[in-house]
Amino acid sequence: MTPKTIRVTKLVLFLLVIPAVALIGGVVLQRLLSGPDVRQEQRKGAQPEYRMQIEGLRFYGMNQGRRVVSITADRFTLRRGKIGFFSTGLTRTAQIENAIINIYAVATAPSSRHAPPSAGEFDFGCLFAEETFSSLFPVRNIAEIEVSPVAVHLHNDKSVLTRIIAAKASVRLKDKEILFTGNVRVSTGSSELTTEHLSFLPGTSRLRTDHPFVLKRGDRTLEGTSLTTDIFLK
């Protein structure tokens, strides 16, 4: 083979190698660009962001054989816990959408047959007993229940005592309180309280706000920036 032939052969091989290298490089680049999205979709398909979801929830919570709470809602979701960008098997938040929550009190003191009921006669604290929600979710793994929007009805063994509606509510299981936010309205008898932020302590049947409020009792109106009262707004 002459030197001229060798040079021509090398040139031909070089010209053939360039397209091959370009083709391989293009395939590798395409896989690098599309691979993460495919793997992400696969992860999403294998492990959704929630652990459990129930449409059209109807729940009845009991404690020691006694009715404590009933919940009717459009949707109930148990969210997975996260550490940074990674999902974990632990659940930290339960979410309930468009809910009506009925809470039933334990009578702590007998009232006179003819006397009107007083807040001291009722205890709603069993709402936070571990048994109450144990059939719905793992109570020890939940920090709070987020509800939006919400209507809460407080009952004795005969009737509804007080109604509370709000744009959102956070049932804080560890702190044993319910925090209402956004267009909060409390009604009982002829009294009505409106504010943007309200805390309800079921164990003591107390309501508390540190935000501007308007309290109407019959034809009287009271306004202020902080209030602590009972479920009868007295």
Side-chain angles (χ1 to χ4, degrees):
M1 183 177 294
T2 64
K4 182 177 180 181
T5 303
I6 294 173
R7 286 195 299 273
V8 171
T9 301
K10 289 183 177 180
L11 179 60
V12 172
L13 291 174
F14 179 74
L15 293 176
L16 291 175
V17 167
I18 290 177
V21 172
L23 179 61
I24 295 172
V27 172
V28 172
L29 180 61
Q30 183 180 7
R31 289 187 176 182
L32 289 174
L33 293 176
S34 63
D37 291 338
V38 172
R39 289 193 296 271
Q40 186 175 4
E41 292 300 322
Q42 290 175 344
R43 286 197 299 270
K44 288 183 178 179
Q47 180 174 301
E49 293 183 357
Y50 55 83
R51 293 187 61 184
M52 181 176 68
Q53 192 170 80
I54 301 173
E55 301 284 345
L57 176 69
R58 300 292 185 273
F59 171 74
Y60 301 91
M62 309 290 289
N63 182 51
Q64 297 181 355
R66 191 187 64 82
R67 179 178 58 177
V68 175
V69 63
S70 68
I71 302 175
T72 302
D74 289 349
R75 183 181 294 110
F76 169 80
T77 305
L78 280 181
R79 293 290 179 185
R80 292 182 180 275
K82 285 189 174 183
I83 300 178
F85 296 101
F86 302 97
S87 294
T88 69
L90 298 177
T91 302
R92 285 291 176 262
T93 302
Q95 295 179 330
I96 303 178
E97 300 174 34
N98 195 25
I100 298 175
I101 302 176
N102 295 285
I103 307 175
Y104 301 90
V106 175
T108 59
S111 60
S112 170
R113 179 177 301 179
H114 304 290
S118 64
E121 299 175 15
F122 305 107
D123 180 4
F124 298 91
C126 287
L127 178 68
F128 300 108
E130 185 171 336
E131 180 185 347
T132 301
F133 290 104
S134 60
S135 62
L136 184 61
F137 54 73
V139 177
R140 295 183 180 180
N141 291 343
I142 299 294
E144 62 181 341
I145 306 171
E146 297 176 353
V147 192
S148 175
V150 62
V152 171
H153 301 163
L154 304 178
H155 296 253
N156 62 5
D157 57 354
K158 298 178 181 179
S159 61
V160 177
L161 303 173
T162 302
R163 292 179 172 87
I164 307 173
I165 62 173
K168 297 180 181 179
S170 174
V171 182
R172 299 181 173 182
L173 301 178
K174 307 301 182 184
D175 297 331
K176 298 184 178 181
E177 72 168 339
I178 304 177
L179 181 62
F180 298 91
T181 55
N183 299 319
V184 184
R185 188 179 301 273
V186 183
S187 58
T188 176
S190 61
S191 300
E192 182 179 79
L193 170 68
T194 55
T195 184
E196 287 297 313
H197 188 284
L198 182 75
S199 174
F200 171 49
L201 303 175
T204 59
S205 299
R206 305 296 287 178
L207 301 171
R208 182 175 60 212
T209 181
D210 293 324
H211 287 63
F213 69 89
V214 177
L215 175 58
K216 295 182 179 179
R217 293 172 176 160
D219 57 355
R220 296 177 298 171
T221 299
L222 175 66
E223 298 183 16
T225 57
S226 178
L227 174 69
T228 299
T229 184
D230 61 27
I231 59 172
F232 297 109
L233 301 178
K234 294 179 179 179

